[in-house]
């Protein structure tokens, strides 16, 4: 019988406050690096970003959103039009189908508006929990935590939010990160993972929370 990996305890409250105070001082208003103009273009952009880079998605959606920034305009553009715009993105054919199906549901069931409910968002084609949480946070100001591979890595390495899977890390952020930092927590963590606490070569020497991090493989 396989053993279940034990989860180390999260960092103490005082360390959490110190870490997020530094992150907040360094970047007071972090934002998603996906380009969007309204809740609809955000949900489309995040759905397209699965297994793709934000840079690649932004290149593809620049032209797309210029002509289709509402569900109805996207339906008017049609499947072939959407496919042509996003063909540089991985899994573009299925994603184009999802965008059209999502847009149709938004028009028919929500009057063309993006709902600010996690369950409603997750009922849309191509929208999972992570996408829903990004939209709730960035479009509607909810303190939701969208955990991706970067946040999963940072949460466990630093013990800010340790967990065996993304759901556990999401709960750990909600349980351990001080409330005043919850609104921007996932943005700070994803940016830290993307540019500093990288997977193969973490840049510990320039990390502003180096002295508070228990990660053992830090460079001297």
């Amino acid at each position: 019988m396989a053993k279940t990996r034990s989860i180390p305890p999260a960092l103490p409250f005082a360390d959490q406050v110190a870490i997020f105070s530094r992150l907040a001082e360094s970047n007071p208003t972090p934002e998603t690096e996906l380009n969007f103009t309204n809740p609809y273009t955000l949900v489309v952009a995040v759905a397209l970003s699965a297994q793709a880079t934000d840079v690649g998605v932004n290149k593809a959606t620049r032209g797309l959103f210029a002509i289709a920034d509402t569900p109805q305009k996207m339906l008017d553009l049609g499947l072939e039009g959407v496919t042509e715009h996003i063909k540089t993105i991985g899994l573009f054919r299925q994603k184009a189908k999802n965008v059209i199906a999502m847009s149709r549901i938004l028009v028919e069931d929500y009057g063309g508006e993006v709902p600010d409910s996690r369950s409603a968002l997750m009922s849309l084609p191509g929208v999972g929990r992570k996408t829903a949480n990004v939209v709730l946070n960035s479009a509607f100001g909810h303190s939701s935590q969208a955990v991706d591979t970067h946040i999963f890595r940072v949460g466990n390495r630093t013990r800010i939010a340790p967990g065996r899977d993304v759901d556990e890390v999401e709960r750990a952020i909600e349980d351990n990160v001080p409330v005043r930092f919850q609104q921007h927590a996932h943005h700070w963590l994803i940016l830290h993972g993307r540019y500093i606490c990288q997977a193969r070569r973490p840049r510990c020497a320039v990390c502003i929370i180096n002295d508070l991090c228990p990660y053992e493989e830090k460079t001297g």
Side-chain angles (χ1 to χ4, degrees):
M1 183 175 179
K3 292 183 179 180
T4 302
R5 182 173 69 86
S6 62
I7 303 174
L11 290 178
F13 180 79
D15 288 350
Q16 300 271 7
V17 171
I19 285 172
F20 282 97
S21 294
R22 293 181 192 180
L23 294 174
E25 183 178 0
S26 175
N27 186 1
T29 55
E31 298 177 345
T32 176
E33 294 186 316
L34 288 170
N35 294 335
F36 69 99
T37 57
N38 55 37
Y40 173 69
T41 54
L42 177 61
V43 73
V44 171
V46 181
L48 294 178
S49 70
Q51 300 183 46
T53 65
D54 288 359
V55 172
V57 172
N58 288 339
K59 288 180 179 179
T61 57
R62 187 177 299 116
L64 176 64
F65 292 160
I67 59 175
D69 60 354
T70 69
Q72 187 58 59
K73 290 178 182 178
M74 197 71 73
L75 290 176
D76 294 341
L77 181 61
L79 179 60
E80 291 187 5
V82 174
T83 303
E84 181 64 25
H85 276 281
I86 68 169
K87 63 184 180 181
T88 57
I89 300 175
L91 307 175
F92 68 94
R93 295 188 188 281
Q94 183 59 50
K95 289 178 180 179
K97 293 178 182 178
N98 287 340
V99 168
I100 290 296
M102 172 200 308
S103 301
R104 182 169 292 109
I105 291 172
L106 290 175
V107 168
E108 294 178 354
D109 296 345
Y110 297 98
E113 300 294 327
V114 175
D116 61 349
S117 155
R118 182 183 288 114
S119 61
L121 285 166
M122 290 178 64
S123 72
L124 300 173
V127 177
R129 187 178 182 88
K130 184 186 77 171
T131 297
N133 282 344
V134 171
V135 175
L136 290 173
N137 183 284
S138 295
F140 298 112
H142 294 219
S143 297
S144 52
Q145 309 301 330
V147 178
D148 67 354
T149 55
H150 294 299
I151 296 177
F152 182 79
R153 178 176 65 255
V154 173
N156 278 288
R157 274 185 180 172
T158 63
R159 290 198 0 235
I160 289 171
R164 286 172 291 238
D165 54 38
V166 294
D167 291 335
E168 287 189 353
V169 170
E170 180 182 334
R171 289 194 296 272
I173 295 173
E174 294 171 347
D175 291 344
N176 296 290
V177 174
V179 171
R180 63 183 178 274
F181 299 116
Q182 291 274 338
Q183 177 63 39
H184 296 308
H186 94 268
H187 284 126
W188 282 317
L189 293 176
I190 192 172
L191 293 172
H192 194 69
R194 186 172 288 168
Y195 298 111
I196 302 297
C197 194
Q198 297 169 335
R200 294 185 178 180
R201 294 184 178 180
R203 303 175 62 207
C204 300
V206 296
C207 175
I208 62 173
I209 62 171
N210 182 295
D211 59 310
L212 296 166
C213 176
Y215 184 51
E216 295 180 355
E217 299 181 23
K218 292 185 290 187
T219 55

PDB file of all heavy atoms in Angstrom, residues 190-220:
ATOM      1  N   ILE A 190       2.277  33.749  -8.246  1.00  0.00           N
ATOM      2  CA  ILE A 190       2.533  33.299  -9.622  1.00  0.00           C
ATOM      3  C   ILE A 190       3.678  34.090 -10.238  1.00  0.00           C
ATOM      4  O   ILE A 190       4.542  33.522 -10.935  1.00  0.00           O
ATOM      5  CB  ILE A 190       1.263  33.397 -10.502  1.00  0.00           C
ATOM      6  CG1 ILE A 190       1.494  32.646 -11.821  1.00  0.00           C
ATOM      7  CG2 ILE A 190       0.863  34.823 -10.789  1.00  0.00           C
ATOM      8  CD1 ILE A 190       0.242  32.529 -12.675  1.00  0.00           C
ATOM      9  N   LEU A 191       3.746  35.386  -9.973  1.00  0.00           N
ATOM     10  CA  LEU A 191       4.840  36.185 -10.513  1.00  0.00           C
ATOM     11  C   LEU A 191       6.166  35.798  -9.866  1.00  0.00           C
ATOM     12  O   LEU A 191       7.201  35.749 -10.534  1.00  0.00           O
ATOM     13  CB  LEU A 191       4.555  37.674 -10.300  1.00  0.00           C
ATOM     14  CG  LEU A 191       3.367  38.245 -11.104  1.00  0.00           C
ATOM     15  CD1 LEU A 191       3.054  39.663 -10.661  1.00  0.00           C
ATOM     16  CD2 LEU A 191       3.654  38.202 -12.596  1.00  0.00           C
ATOM     17  N   HIS A 192       6.119  35.495  -8.572  1.00  0.00           N
ATOM     18  CA  HIS A 192       7.336  35.056  -7.889  1.00  0.00           C
ATOM     19  C   HIS A 192       7.819  33.734  -8.478  1.00  0.00           C
ATOM     20  O   HIS A 192       9.023  33.533  -8.690  1.00  0.00           O
ATOM     21  CB  HIS A 192       7.069  34.906  -6.396  1.00  0.00           C
ATOM     22  CG  HIS A 192       8.303  34.778  -5.574  1.00  0.00           C
ATOM     23  ND1 HIS A 192       9.189  35.821  -5.394  1.00  0.00           N
ATOM     24  CD2 HIS A 192       8.833  33.718  -4.893  1.00  0.00           C
ATOM     25  CE1 HIS A 192      10.202  35.416  -4.636  1.00  0.00           C
ATOM     26  NE2 HIS A 192      10.012  34.147  -4.319  1.00  0.00           N
ATOM     27  N   GLY A 193       6.894  32.827  -8.763  1.00  0.00           N
ATOM     28  CA  GLY A 193       7.268  31.543  -9.348  1.00  0.00           C
ATOM     29  C   GLY A 193       7.726  31.659 -10.783  1.00  0.00           C
ATOM     30  O   GLY A 193       8.600  30.920 -11.237  1.00  0.00           O
ATOM     31  N   ARG A 194       7.157  32.596 -11.496  1.00  0.00           N
ATOM     32  CA  ARG A 194       7.502  32.759 -12.912  1.00  0.00           C
ATOM     33  C   ARG A 194       8.872  33.394 -13.104  1.00  0.00           C
ATOM     34  O   ARG A 194       9.625  33.015 -14.014  1.00  0.00           O
ATOM     35  CB  ARG A 194       6.420  33.617 -13.594  1.00  0.00           C
ATOM     36  CG  ARG A 194       6.553  33.760 -15.095  1.00  0.00           C
ATOM     37  CD  ARG A 194       5.323  34.453 -15.665  1.00  0.00           C
ATOM     38  NE  ARG A 194       4.156  33.566 -15.628  1.00  0.00           N
ATOM     39  CZ  ARG A 194       2.903  33.962 -15.851  1.00  0.00           C
ATOM     40  NH1 ARG A 194       2.651  35.229 -16.097  1.00  0.00           N
ATOM     41  NH2 ARG A 194       1.917  33.096 -15.809  1.00  0.00           N
ATOM     42  N   TYR A 195       9.229  34.345 -12.235  1.00  0.00           N
ATOM     43  CA  TYR A 195      10.442  35.118 -12.472  1.00  0.00           C
ATOM     44  C   TYR A 195      11.560  34.907 -11.443  1.00  0.00           C
ATOM     45  O   TYR A 195      12.719  35.188 -11.739  1.00  0.00           O
ATOM     46  CB  TYR A 195      10.097  36.610 -12.544  1.00  0.00           C
ATOM     47  CG  TYR A 195       9.165  36.930 -13.684  1.00  0.00           C
ATOM     48  CD1 TYR A 195       7.854  37.323 -13.454  1.00  0.00           C
ATOM     49  CD2 TYR A 195       9.588  36.793 -15.004  1.00  0.00           C
ATOM     50  CE1 TYR A 195       6.988  37.595 -14.507  1.00  0.00           C
ATOM     51  CE2 TYR A 195       8.739  37.057 -16.068  1.00  0.00           C
ATOM     52  CZ  TYR A 195       7.437  37.458 -15.818  1.00  0.00           C
ATOM     53  OH  TYR A 195       6.578  37.708 -16.853  1.00  0.00           O
ATOM     54  N   ILE A 196      11.231  34.421 -10.257  1.00  0.00           N
ATOM     55  CA  ILE A 196      12.255  34.239  -9.225  1.00  0.00           C
ATOM     56  C   ILE A 196      12.377  32.772  -8.799  1.00  0.00           C
ATOM     57  O   ILE A 196      13.422  32.149  -8.966  1.00  0.00           O
ATOM     58  CB  ILE A 196      11.962  35.119  -7.984  1.00  0.00           C
ATOM     59  CG1 ILE A 196      11.879  36.594  -8.382  1.00  0.00           C
ATOM     60  CG2 ILE A 196      13.030  34.901  -6.922  1.00  0.00           C
ATOM     61  CD1 ILE A 196      13.173  37.168  -8.934  1.00  0.00           C
ATOM     62  N   CYS A 197      11.333  32.212  -8.249  1.00  0.00           N
ATOM     63  CA  CYS A 197      11.367  30.839  -7.732  1.00  0.00           C
ATOM     64  C   CYS A 197      11.047  29.854  -8.858  1.00  0.00           C
ATOM     65  O   CYS A 197      10.057  29.119  -8.817  1.00  0.00           O
ATOM     66  CB  CYS A 197      10.376  30.692  -6.570  1.00  0.00           C
ATOM     67  SG  CYS A 197      10.600  29.192  -5.597  1.00  0.00           S
ATOM     68  N   GLN A 198      11.900  29.865  -9.870  1.00  0.00           N
ATOM     69  CA  GLN A 198      11.671  29.068 -11.071  1.00  0.00           C
ATOM     70  C   GLN A 198      11.915  27.588 -10.808  1.00  0.00           C
ATOM     71  O   GLN A 198      12.606  27.208  -9.862  1.00  0.00           O
ATOM     72  CB  GLN A 198      12.562  29.593 -12.192  1.00  0.00           C
ATOM     73  CG  GLN A 198      12.218  31.029 -12.575  1.00  0.00           C
ATOM     74  CD  GLN A 198      13.245  31.676 -13.492  1.00  0.00           C
ATOM     75  OE1 GLN A 198      14.408  31.287 -13.506  1.00  0.00           O
ATOM     76  NE2 GLN A 198      12.819  32.664 -14.257  1.00  0.00           N
ATOM     77  N   ALA A 199      11.354  26.749 -11.663  1.00  0.00           N
ATOM     78  CA  ALA A 199      11.351  25.309 -11.407  1.00  0.00           C
ATOM     79  C   ALA A 199      12.762  24.720 -11.360  1.00  0.00           C
ATOM     80  O   ALA A 199      13.138  24.060 -10.394  1.00  0.00           O
ATOM     81  CB  ALA A 199      10.512  24.604 -12.467  1.00  0.00           C
ATOM     82  N   ARG A 200      13.545  24.939 -12.387  1.00  0.00           N
ATOM     83  CA  ARG A 200      14.854  24.282 -12.485  1.00  0.00           C
ATOM     84  C   ARG A 200      15.967  25.061 -11.800  1.00  0.00           C
ATOM     85  O   ARG A 200      16.853  24.479 -11.191  1.00  0.00           O
ATOM     86  CB  ARG A 200      15.204  24.044 -13.955  1.00  0.00           C
ATOM     87  CG  ARG A 200      14.274  23.044 -14.637  1.00  0.00           C
ATOM     88  CD  ARG A 200      14.743  22.748 -16.047  1.00  0.00           C
ATOM     89  NE  ARG A 200      13.884  21.760 -16.712  1.00  0.00           N
ATOM     90  CZ  ARG A 200      14.065  21.321 -17.943  1.00  0.00           C
ATOM     91  NH1 ARG A 200      15.093  21.777 -18.659  1.00  0.00           N
ATOM     92  NH2 ARG A 200      13.238  20.428 -18.469  1.00  0.00           N
ATOM     93  N   ARG A 201      15.933  26.367 -11.926  1.00  0.00           N
ATOM     94  CA  ARG A 201      17.000  27.183 -11.352  1.00  0.00           C
ATOM     95  C   ARG A 201      16.412  28.360 -10.589  1.00  0.00           C
ATOM     96  O   ARG A 201      16.378  29.491 -11.084  1.00  0.00           O
ATOM     97  CB  ARG A 201      17.942  27.686 -12.451  1.00  0.00           C
ATOM     98  CG  ARG A 201      18.726  26.566 -13.140  1.00  0.00           C
ATOM     99  CD  ARG A 201      19.717  27.125 -14.139  1.00  0.00           C
ATOM    100  NE  ARG A 201      20.505  26.067 -14.764  1.00  0.00           N
ATOM    101  CZ  ARG A 201      21.456  26.270 -15.685  1.00  0.00           C
ATOM    102  NH1 ARG A 201      21.712  27.521 -16.082  1.00  0.00           N
ATOM    103  NH2 ARG A 201      22.122  25.263 -16.210  1.00  0.00           N
ATOM    104  N   PRO A 202      15.942  28.115  -9.380  1.00  0.00           N
ATOM    105  CA  PRO A 202      15.393  29.220  -8.586  1.00  0.00           C
ATOM    106  C   PRO A 202      16.459  30.278  -8.340  1.00  0.00           C
ATOM    107  O   PRO A 202      17.613  29.967  -8.061  1.00  0.00           O
ATOM    108  CB  PRO A 202      14.960  28.545  -7.281  1.00  0.00           C
ATOM    109  CG  PRO A 202      15.744  27.267  -7.228  1.00  0.00           C
ATOM    110  CD  PRO A 202      15.930  26.839  -8.641  1.00  0.00           C
ATOM    111  N   ARG A 203      16.071  31.523  -8.465  1.00  0.00           N
ATOM    112  CA  ARG A 203      17.016  32.647  -8.352  1.00  0.00           C
ATOM    113  C   ARG A 203      17.071  33.127  -6.898  1.00  0.00           C
ATOM    114  O   ARG A 203      16.750  34.267  -6.578  1.00  0.00           O
ATOM    115  CB  ARG A 203      16.600  33.752  -9.303  1.00  0.00           C
ATOM    116  CG  ARG A 203      16.512  33.298 -10.762  1.00  0.00           C
ATOM    117  CD  ARG A 203      15.978  34.396 -11.649  1.00  0.00           C
ATOM    118  NE  ARG A 203      16.857  35.558 -11.631  1.00  0.00           N
ATOM    119  CZ  ARG A 203      16.441  36.802 -11.858  1.00  0.00           C
ATOM    120  NH1 ARG A 203      15.161  37.047 -12.083  1.00  0.00           N
ATOM    121  NH2 ARG A 203      17.309  37.799 -11.821  1.00  0.00           N
ATOM    122  N   CYS A 204      17.523  32.234  -6.039  1.00  0.00           N
ATOM    123  CA  CYS A 204      17.518  32.497  -4.600  1.00  0.00           C
ATOM    124  C   CYS A 204      18.377  33.704  -4.222  1.00  0.00           C
ATOM    125  O   CYS A 204      18.069  34.414  -3.259  1.00  0.00           O
ATOM    126  CB  CYS A 204      17.986  31.266  -3.843  1.00  0.00           C
ATOM    127  SG  CYS A 204      16.946  29.803  -4.107  1.00  0.00           S
ATOM    128  N   ALA A 205      19.441  33.938  -4.957  1.00  0.00           N
ATOM    129  CA  ALA A 205      20.361  35.029  -4.613  1.00  0.00           C
ATOM    130  C   ALA A 205      19.704  36.395  -4.712  1.00  0.00           C
ATOM    131  O   ALA A 205      20.132  37.338  -4.031  1.00  0.00           O
ATOM    132  CB  ALA A 205      21.594  34.977  -5.515  1.00  0.00           C
ATOM    133  N   VAL A 206      18.661  36.523  -5.537  1.00  0.00           N
ATOM    134  CA  VAL A 206      18.004  37.821  -5.696  1.00  0.00           C
ATOM    135  C   VAL A 206      16.586  37.806  -5.132  1.00  0.00           C
ATOM    136  O   VAL A 206      15.813  38.741  -5.362  1.00  0.00           O
ATOM    137  CB  VAL A 206      17.971  38.255  -7.182  1.00  0.00           C
ATOM    138  CG1 VAL A 206      19.382  38.452  -7.704  1.00  0.00           C
ATOM    139  CG2 VAL A 206      17.211  37.249  -8.035  1.00  0.00           C
ATOM    140  N   CYS A 207      16.254  36.772  -4.402  1.00  0.00           N
ATOM    141  CA  CYS A 207      14.902  36.619  -3.855  1.00  0.00           C
ATOM    142  C   CYS A 207      14.729  37.501  -2.619  1.00  0.00           C
ATOM    143  O   CYS A 207      15.520  37.424  -1.675  1.00  0.00           O
ATOM    144  CB  CYS A 207      14.647  35.154  -3.494  1.00  0.00           C
ATOM    145  SG  CYS A 207      13.065  34.864  -2.688  1.00  0.00           S
ATOM    146  N   ILE A 208      13.661  38.295  -2.579  1.00  0.00           N
ATOM    147  CA  ILE A 208      13.470  39.229  -1.471  1.00  0.00           C
ATOM    148  C   ILE A 208      12.930  38.545  -0.214  1.00  0.00           C
ATOM    149  O   ILE A 208      12.864  39.169   0.851  1.00  0.00           O
ATOM    150  CB  ILE A 208      12.527  40.382  -1.873  1.00  0.00           C
ATOM    151  CG1 ILE A 208      11.127  39.852  -2.229  1.00  0.00           C
ATOM    152  CG2 ILE A 208      13.118  41.184  -3.004  1.00  0.00           C
ATOM    153  CD1 ILE A 208      10.110  40.954  -2.483  1.00  0.00           C
ATOM    154  N   ILE A 209      12.569  37.254  -0.320  1.00  0.00           N
ATOM    155  CA  ILE A 209      12.127  36.534   0.874  1.00  0.00           C
ATOM    156  C   ILE A 209      13.082  35.382   1.193  1.00  0.00           C
ATOM    157  O   ILE A 209      12.733  34.451   1.915  1.00  0.00           O
ATOM    158  CB  ILE A 209      10.682  36.010   0.717  1.00  0.00           C
ATOM    159  CG1 ILE A 209      10.576  35.019  -0.446  1.00  0.00           C
ATOM    160  CG2 ILE A 209       9.710  37.165   0.528  1.00  0.00           C
ATOM    161  CD1 ILE A 209       9.238  34.304  -0.518  1.00  0.00           C
ATOM    162  N   ASN A 210      14.289  35.443   0.673  1.00  0.00           N
ATOM    163  CA  ASN A 210      15.277  34.369   0.840  1.00  0.00           C
ATOM    164  C   ASN A 210      15.493  33.980   2.292  1.00  0.00           C
ATOM    165  O   ASN A 210      15.538  32.800   2.640  1.00  0.00           O
ATOM    166  CB  ASN A 210      16.604  34.811   0.205  1.00  0.00           C
ATOM    167  CG  ASN A 210      17.680  33.757   0.286  1.00  0.00           C
ATOM    168  OD1 ASN A 210      18.125  33.403   1.371  1.00  0.00           O
ATOM    169  ND2 ASN A 210      18.112  33.264  -0.858  1.00  0.00           N
ATOM    170  N   ASP A 211      15.606  34.967   3.163  1.00  0.00           N
ATOM    171  CA  ASP A 211      15.928  34.686   4.565  1.00  0.00           C
ATOM    172  C   ASP A 211      14.759  34.077   5.336  1.00  0.00           C
ATOM    173  O   ASP A 211      14.940  33.517   6.423  1.00  0.00           O
ATOM    174  CB  ASP A 211      16.385  35.962   5.269  1.00  0.00           C
ATOM    175  CG  ASP A 211      15.322  37.055   5.218  1.00  0.00           C
ATOM    176  OD1 ASP A 211      14.803  37.324   4.121  1.00  0.00           O
ATOM    177  OD2 ASP A 211      15.024  37.639   6.281  1.00  0.00           O
ATOM    178  N   LEU A 212      13.552  34.152   4.761  1.00  0.00           N
ATOM    179  CA  LEU A 212      12.364  33.598   5.418  1.00  0.00           C
ATOM    180  C   LEU A 212      11.933  32.266   4.810  1.00  0.00           C
ATOM    181  O   LEU A 212      11.006  31.636   5.294  1.00  0.00           O
ATOM    182  CB  LEU A 212      11.208  34.594   5.318  1.00  0.00           C
ATOM    183  CG  LEU A 212      11.418  35.927   6.042  1.00  0.00           C
ATOM    184  CD1 LEU A 212      10.377  36.942   5.602  1.00  0.00           C
ATOM    185  CD2 LEU A 212      11.385  35.722   7.544  1.00  0.00           C
ATOM    186  N   CYS A 213      12.632  31.847   3.773  1.00  0.00           N
ATOM    187  CA  CYS A 213      12.247  30.642   3.025  1.00  0.00           C
ATOM    188  C   CYS A 213      13.007  29.425   3.535  1.00  0.00           C
ATOM    189  O   CYS A 213      14.231  29.453   3.628  1.00  0.00           O
ATOM    190  CB  CYS A 213      12.527  30.857   1.536  1.00  0.00           C
ATOM    191  SG  CYS A 213      12.213  29.389   0.516  1.00  0.00           S
ATOM    192  N   PRO A 214      12.307  28.308   3.823  1.00  0.00           N
ATOM    193  CA  PRO A 214      12.968  27.115   4.327  1.00  0.00           C
ATOM    194  C   PRO A 214      13.488  26.174   3.233  1.00  0.00           C
ATOM    195  O   PRO A 214      14.011  25.102   3.536  1.00  0.00           O
ATOM    196  CB  PRO A 214      11.858  26.426   5.124  1.00  0.00           C
ATOM    197  CG  PRO A 214      10.606  26.800   4.387  1.00  0.00           C
ATOM    198  CD  PRO A 214      10.834  28.193   3.873  1.00  0.00           C
ATOM    199  N   TYR A 215      13.357  26.575   1.983  1.00  0.00           N
ATOM    200  CA  TYR A 215      13.785  25.708   0.873  1.00  0.00           C
ATOM    201  C   TYR A 215      15.252  25.368   1.008  1.00  0.00           C
ATOM    202  O   TYR A 215      16.105  26.239   1.119  1.00  0.00           O
ATOM    203  CB  TYR A 215      13.510  26.429  -0.451  1.00  0.00           C
ATOM    204  CG  TYR A 215      13.811  25.617  -1.701  1.00  0.00           C
ATOM    205  CD1 TYR A 215      13.306  24.331  -1.860  1.00  0.00           C
ATOM    206  CD2 TYR A 215      14.577  26.155  -2.720  1.00  0.00           C
ATOM    207  CE1 TYR A 215      13.566  23.596  -2.995  1.00  0.00           C
ATOM    208  CE2 TYR A 215      14.844  25.432  -3.884  1.00  0.00           C
ATOM    209  CZ  TYR A 215      14.344  24.159  -4.000  1.00  0.00           C
ATOM    210  OH  TYR A 215      14.603  23.427  -5.148  1.00  0.00           O
ATOM    211  N   GLU A 216      15.589  24.086   1.003  1.00  0.00           N
ATOM    212  CA  GLU A 216      16.934  23.633   1.348  1.00  0.00           C
ATOM    213  C   GLU A 216      17.959  23.759   0.241  1.00  0.00           C
ATOM    214  O   GLU A 216      19.148  23.725   0.505  1.00  0.00           O
ATOM    215  CB  GLU A 216      16.869  22.175   1.817  1.00  0.00           C
ATOM    216  CG  GLU A 216      16.080  21.983   3.102  1.00  0.00           C
ATOM    217  CD  GLU A 216      16.027  20.538   3.532  1.00  0.00           C
ATOM    218  OE1 GLU A 216      16.524  19.681   2.757  1.00  0.00           O
ATOM    219  OE2 GLU A 216      15.497  20.256   4.612  1.00  0.00           O
ATOM    220  N   GLU A 217      17.513  23.888  -1.004  1.00  0.00           N
ATOM    221  CA  GLU A 217      18.465  23.877  -2.114  1.00  0.00           C
ATOM    222  C   GLU A 217      18.889  25.268  -2.540  1.00  0.00           C
ATOM    223  O   GLU A 217      19.356  25.468  -3.653  1.00  0.00           O
ATOM    224  CB  GLU A 217      17.877  23.108  -3.300  1.00  0.00           C
ATOM    225  CG  GLU A 217      17.576  21.655  -2.958  1.00  0.00           C
ATOM    226  CD  GLU A 217      17.003  20.884  -4.158  1.00  0.00           C
ATOM    227  OE1 GLU A 217      17.240  21.294  -5.298  1.00  0.00           O
ATOM    228  OE2 GLU A 217      16.320  19.869  -3.920  1.00  0.00           O
ATOM    229  N   LYS A 218      18.724  26.235  -1.662  1.00  0.00           N
ATOM    230  CA  LYS A 218      19.132  27.594  -1.988  1.00  0.00           C
ATOM    231  C   LYS A 218      20.640  27.686  -2.180  1.00  0.00           C
ATOM    232  O   LYS A 218      21.396  26.992  -1.521  1.00  0.00           O
ATOM    233  CB  LYS A 218      18.717  28.569  -0.885  1.00  0.00           C
ATOM    234  CG  LYS A 218      17.216  28.757  -0.782  1.00  0.00           C
ATOM    235  CD  LYS A 218      16.874  29.817   0.242  1.00  0.00           C
ATOM    236  CE  LYS A 218      17.176  29.344   1.644  1.00  0.00           C
ATOM    237  NZ  LYS A 218      16.690  30.297   2.666  1.00  0.00           N
ATOM    238  N   THR A 219      21.046  28.569  -3.041  1.00  0.00           N
ATOM    239  CA  THR A 219      22.482  28.811  -3.216  1.00  0.00           C
ATOM    240  C   THR A 219      22.961  29.673  -2.071  1.00  0.00           C
ATOM    241  O   THR A 219      22.218  30.448  -1.480  1.00  0.00           O
ATOM    242  CB  THR A 219      22.752  29.525  -4.540  1.00  0.00           C
ATOM    243  OG1 THR A 219      21.975  30.732  -4.593  1.00  0.00           O
ATOM    244  CG2 THR A 219      22.391  28.657  -5.717  1.00  0.00           C
ATOM    245  N   GLY A 220      24.233  29.579  -1.760  1.00  0.00           N
ATOM    246  CA  GLY A 220      24.774  30.323  -0.642  1.00  0.00           C
ATOM    247  C   GLY A 220      25.004  31.786  -0.981  1.00  0.00           C
ATOM    248  O   GLY A 220      25.028  32.163  -2.114  1.00  0.00           O
TER     249      GLY A 220
END
